[in-house]
Amino acid sequence: MVRAAVLPAVNAPLQVTEIDLPAPGPGQVRIGLAAAGVCHSDLSLSNGTLRQPVPAVLGHEGAGTVTEVGPGVTTVAPGDPVVLNWAPSCGACHFCGLAEPWLCAGSGRAANAPYARTADGGTELYPGLGTAAFAAETVVPASAALPLPPGMPLADAALLGCAVLTGWGAVHHSARVRAGESVVVLGAGGVGLATLQAARIAGAGPIVAVDASPAKEELARAAGATDFVVADGAAFFEKDGAKRIRALTGGVGADVAIECVGRAETIRTAWSATRRGGRTTVVGIGGQDQRVSFSALELFYFGRTLSGCVYGNSDPARDLPVIAGHVRSGALDLRRPRHGPDRPRRHPGRLRRHAGRPGRPGTGGLLDLCREFRRPPAGPVRAPDPSGGRGTRPNRAQNVGSGRGVPS
């Protein structure tokens, strides 16, 4: 038996309980998880914004050690440290043939197939985004277990599976930021912080961070922001937000705007804060009710490019070694930008309070969820509230790891 946090139904409290996890089958591997991040996409899965069969074990941003492999697995072996890949590509579909593995038509198959059962053996459980990282152990396809590059601590490596890959790819693959270009990042959660660091490494400047929480300024500047703007209420989005950003980017707007929130008003502000001929990249995952409007004239006149970004348009096999090199050199810091004053420490007694609110404004960091799953049950864990009980906030809120693409 394995302890896990089970989502019994959409919008229901998580239940920390025992599950029956079978041995890995052909092409599968079993992983003992060392750490998992709580991503805003987990909230989107729990509340129905993103589709996920239930009951399910959520969690897609994790790292651990291979404990067992099924028949036919040659890419990893027991004892290997690995990072979970929630969107493994098949290598055979139309999109993989175009060298666009982040759009793979088969990447979501594992999430739709039961992988475990409740302890009594009566109810099938589905793996959230195919990985089910909110557990002490999980079983995934071998393609979803990426060998960890040397020199990377497991706890930090969990962030590579979603937040860092998404932020890195948004800058280097989707927006293709060049040295000397100005960049604005809307949303300073997990993906936003990774995006700021990637923009700094790319040589961008100035780099403007925008967030609803003033407490994010220290984290944003540590990650690479040269300026910080507080999105202080509806007036910011309806009146002067884009103007304030343009004032910090030479009066013409940013060469690149990267939106990491997934709300209509932040997407629209990112667009309006982009210079003529610039690029606006949308990383945040919005609901179907979030409608963004543009006039035909402005599309012609401003000549901007608006593009979506799935998983940072990244190829994990290609990008992980590059990112690991920056981590080893100290250019990319997986710890300091996420260690703000309100960072939840990896202490099992405090896990439930923070895991229930992964998007609490002002927080950032990595949670060691797996340690909690070895403790006795203590009742339900409430589904995450990104506002911390203070109403809806325009915050991507992947503060302990925001996904990206679909999901950071």
Short mmCIF file of all heavy atoms in Angstrom, two decimals, residues 66-95:
data_model
loop_
_atom_site.label_atom_id
_atom_site.label_comp_id
_atom_site.label_asym_id
_atom_site.label_seq_id
_atom_site.Cartn_x
_atom_site.Cartn_y
_atom_site.Cartn_z
N VAL A 66 14.00 5.78 -9.15
CA VAL A 66 13.38 4.58 -9.71
C VAL A 66 13.60 3.41 -8.74
O VAL A 66 14.73 3.15 -8.32
CB VAL A 66 13.98 4.25 -11.08
CG1 VAL A 66 13.42 2.93 -11.62
CG2 VAL A 66 13.70 5.38 -12.07
N THR A 67 12.52 2.73 -8.40
CA THR A 67 12.61 1.57 -7.50
C THR A 67 12.39 0.25 -8.21
O THR A 67 12.82 -0.80 -7.73
CB THR A 67 11.60 1.70 -6.34
OG1 THR A 67 10.27 1.77 -6.88
CG2 THR A 67 11.88 2.95 -5.51
N GLU A 68 11.69 0.29 -9.35
CA GLU A 68 11.38 -0.94 -10.08
C GLU A 68 11.04 -0.59 -11.52
O GLU A 68 10.44 0.47 -11.78
CB GLU A 68 10.20 -1.64 -9.40
CG GLU A 68 9.88 -3.02 -9.95
CD GLU A 68 8.70 -3.65 -9.23
OE1 GLU A 68 8.17 -3.04 -8.28
OE2 GLU A 68 8.30 -4.77 -9.64
N VAL A 69 11.40 -1.44 -12.44
CA VAL A 69 11.06 -1.21 -13.85
C VAL A 69 10.32 -2.43 -14.39
O VAL A 69 10.55 -3.56 -13.96
CB VAL A 69 12.30 -0.93 -14.71
CG1 VAL A 69 13.05 0.30 -14.20
CG2 VAL A 69 13.24 -2.13 -14.77
N GLY A 70 9.42 -2.18 -15.33
CA GLY A 70 8.67 -3.24 -15.96
C GLY A 70 9.42 -3.82 -17.15
O GLY A 70 10.46 -3.29 -17.57
N PRO A 71 8.90 -4.87 -17.73
CA PRO A 71 9.52 -5.48 -18.90
C PRO A 71 9.69 -4.49 -20.05
O PRO A 71 8.82 -3.67 -20.32
CB PRO A 71 8.54 -6.60 -19.28
CG PRO A 71 7.79 -6.89 -18.02
CD PRO A 71 7.68 -5.59 -17.30
N GLY A 72 10.84 -4.56 -20.69
CA GLY A 72 11.10 -3.74 -21.87
C GLY A 72 11.65 -2.36 -21.60
O GLY A 72 11.93 -1.62 -22.55
N VAL A 73 11.82 -1.98 -20.35
CA VAL A 73 12.32 -0.64 -20.03
C VAL A 73 13.85 -0.65 -20.08
O VAL A 73 14.49 -1.44 -19.38
CB VAL A 73 11.84 -0.17 -18.65
CG1 VAL A 73 12.50 1.16 -18.28
CG2 VAL A 73 10.33 -0.04 -18.64
N THR A 74 14.42 0.21 -20.89
CA THR A 74 15.88 0.29 -21.02
C THR A 74 16.44 1.68 -20.75
O THR A 74 17.65 1.85 -20.66
CB THR A 74 16.31 -0.14 -22.44
OG1 THR A 74 15.68 0.73 -23.40
CG2 THR A 74 15.91 -1.57 -22.73
N THR A 75 15.56 2.68 -20.63
CA THR A 75 16.03 4.06 -20.49
C THR A 75 16.45 4.40 -19.07
O THR A 75 17.28 5.29 -18.88
CB THR A 75 14.93 5.03 -20.93
OG1 THR A 75 13.71 4.71 -20.22
CG2 THR A 75 14.68 4.91 -22.42
N VAL A 76 15.88 3.73 -18.07
CA VAL A 76 16.25 3.95 -16.67
C VAL A 76 16.32 2.61 -15.97
O VAL A 76 15.81 1.60 -16.47
CB VAL A 76 15.24 4.88 -15.94
CG1 VAL A 76 15.26 6.29 -16.51
CG2 VAL A 76 13.83 4.30 -16.01
N ALA A 77 16.97 2.62 -14.78
CA ALA A 77 17.13 1.40 -14.00
C ALA A 77 16.90 1.72 -12.54
O ALA A 77 16.97 2.88 -12.13
CB ALA A 77 18.52 0.81 -14.22
N PRO A 78 16.59 0.71 -11.71
CA PRO A 78 16.42 0.96 -10.29
C PRO A 78 17.63 1.69 -9.71
O PRO A 78 18.78 1.37 -10.00
CB PRO A 78 16.29 -0.45 -9.70
CG PRO A 78 15.67 -1.25 -10.82
CD PRO A 78 16.31 -0.71 -12.06
N GLY A 79 17.33 2.71 -8.89
CA GLY A 79 18.37 3.53 -8.30
C GLY A 79 18.63 4.82 -9.04
O GLY A 79 19.29 5.73 -8.51
N ASP A 80 18.12 4.95 -10.27
CA ASP A 80 18.34 6.17 -11.05
C ASP A 80 17.47 7.32 -10.54
O ASP A 80 16.26 7.15 -10.33
CB ASP A 80 18.00 5.94 -12.52
CG ASP A 80 19.02 5.10 -13.24
OD1 ASP A 80 20.08 4.82 -12.65
OD2 ASP A 80 18.75 4.72 -14.40
N PRO A 81 18.05 8.51 -10.35
CA PRO A 81 17.22 9.69 -10.03
C PRO A 81 16.56 10.21 -11.30
O PRO A 81 17.19 10.27 -12.36
CB PRO A 81 18.25 10.69 -9.49
CG PRO A 81 19.53 10.31 -10.16
CD PRO A 81 19.48 8.82 -10.36
N VAL A 82 15.28 10.57 -11.19
CA VAL A 82 14.53 11.00 -12.37
C VAL A 82 13.63 12.19 -12.04
O VAL A 82 13.30 12.45 -10.88
CB VAL A 82 13.66 9.85 -12.95
CG1 VAL A 82 14.51 8.73 -13.50
CG2 VAL A 82 12.69 9.34 -11.89
N VAL A 83 13.24 12.90 -13.09
CA VAL A 83 12.26 13.98 -13.03
C VAL A 83 11.02 13.54 -13.78
O VAL A 83 11.13 12.93 -14.86
CB VAL A 83 12.82 15.27 -13.67
CG1 VAL A 83 11.77 16.39 -13.62
CG2 VAL A 83 14.09 15.72 -12.97
N LEU A 84 9.85 13.81 -13.25
CA LEU A 84 8.61 13.44 -13.93
C LEU A 84 8.36 14.37 -15.11
O LEU A 84 8.56 15.58 -15.04
CB LEU A 84 7.43 13.51 -12.96
CG LEU A 84 7.41 12.48 -11.83
CD1 LEU A 84 6.17 12.68 -10.98
CD2 LEU A 84 7.45 11.05 -12.38
N ASN A 85 7.89 13.78 -16.20
CA ASN A 85 7.51 14.53 -17.39
C ASN A 85 6.03 14.27 -17.65
O ASN A 85 5.66 13.17 -18.07
CB ASN A 85 8.35 14.07 -18.58
CG ASN A 85 7.92 14.72 -19.90
OD1 ASN A 85 7.16 15.68 -19.92
ND2 ASN A 85 8.41 14.18 -21.01
N TRP A 86 5.19 15.28 -17.37
CA TRP A 86 3.75 15.07 -17.46
C TRP A 86 3.24 15.07 -18.91
O TRP A 86 2.08 14.75 -19.16
CB TRP A 86 2.99 16.10 -16.66
CG TRP A 86 3.25 17.52 -17.06
CD1 TRP A 86 4.17 18.37 -16.53
CD2 TRP A 86 2.59 18.26 -18.09
NE1 TRP A 86 4.14 19.59 -17.17
CE2 TRP A 86 3.17 19.55 -18.13
CE3 TRP A 86 1.57 17.96 -18.99
CZ2 TRP A 86 2.77 20.54 -19.03
CZ3 TRP A 86 1.15 18.94 -19.89
CH2 TRP A 86 1.75 20.21 -19.89
N ALA A 87 4.11 15.43 -19.86
CA ALA A 87 3.68 15.46 -21.26
C ALA A 87 4.68 14.72 -22.14
O ALA A 87 5.28 15.31 -23.04
CB ALA A 87 3.51 16.90 -21.73
N PRO A 88 4.90 13.43 -21.90
CA PRO A 88 5.86 12.69 -22.74
C PRO A 88 5.35 12.57 -24.17
O PRO A 88 4.17 12.32 -24.40
CB PRO A 88 5.95 11.33 -22.05
CG PRO A 88 4.63 11.17 -21.36
CD PRO A 88 4.25 12.54 -20.91
N SER A 89 6.23 12.73 -25.12
CA SER A 89 5.82 12.68 -26.52
C SER A 89 5.92 11.26 -27.06
O SER A 89 6.76 10.46 -26.61
CB SER A 89 6.69 13.61 -27.37
OG SER A 89 8.06 13.28 -27.23
N CYS A 90 5.08 10.95 -28.04
CA CYS A 90 5.05 9.59 -28.61
C CYS A 90 6.09 9.40 -29.69
O CYS A 90 6.51 8.28 -29.98
CB CYS A 90 3.66 9.30 -29.16
SG CYS A 90 3.23 10.25 -30.64
N GLY A 91 6.50 10.50 -30.34
CA GLY A 91 7.49 10.42 -31.40
C GLY A 91 6.94 9.97 -32.73
O GLY A 91 7.70 9.87 -33.71
N ALA A 92 5.63 9.73 -32.81
CA ALA A 92 5.07 9.17 -34.05
C ALA A 92 3.92 9.98 -34.62
O ALA A 92 3.54 9.76 -35.79
CB ALA A 92 4.60 7.74 -33.81
N CYS A 93 3.32 10.90 -33.86
CA CYS A 93 2.15 11.63 -34.35
C CYS A 93 2.57 12.77 -35.28
O CYS A 93 3.76 13.04 -35.50
CB CYS A 93 1.35 12.17 -33.17
SG CYS A 93 2.14 13.54 -32.28
N HIS A 94 1.59 13.46 -35.82
CA HIS A 94 1.83 14.56 -36.75
C HIS A 94 2.71 15.64 -36.13
O HIS A 94 3.66 16.12 -36.77
CB HIS A 94 0.49 15.16 -37.19
CG HIS A 94 0.63 16.38 -38.05
ND1 HIS A 94 0.96 16.32 -39.39
CD2 HIS A 94 0.47 17.70 -37.76
CE1 HIS A 94 1.01 17.53 -39.89
NE2 HIS A 94 0.71 18.40 -38.93
N PHE A 95 2.43 16.00 -34.89
CA PHE A 95 3.17 17.09 -34.25
C PHE A 95 4.60 16.67 -33.90
O PHE A 95 5.53 17.47 -34.04
CB PHE A 95 2.42 17.56 -33.01
CG PHE A 95 1.04 18.04 -33.31
CD1 PHE A 95 -0.07 17.24 -33.04
CD2 PHE A 95 0.82 19.27 -33.91
CE1 PHE A 95 -1.35 17.67 -33.35
CE2 PHE A 95 -0.46 19.72 -34.21
CZ PHE A 95 -1.54 18.91 -33.94
#
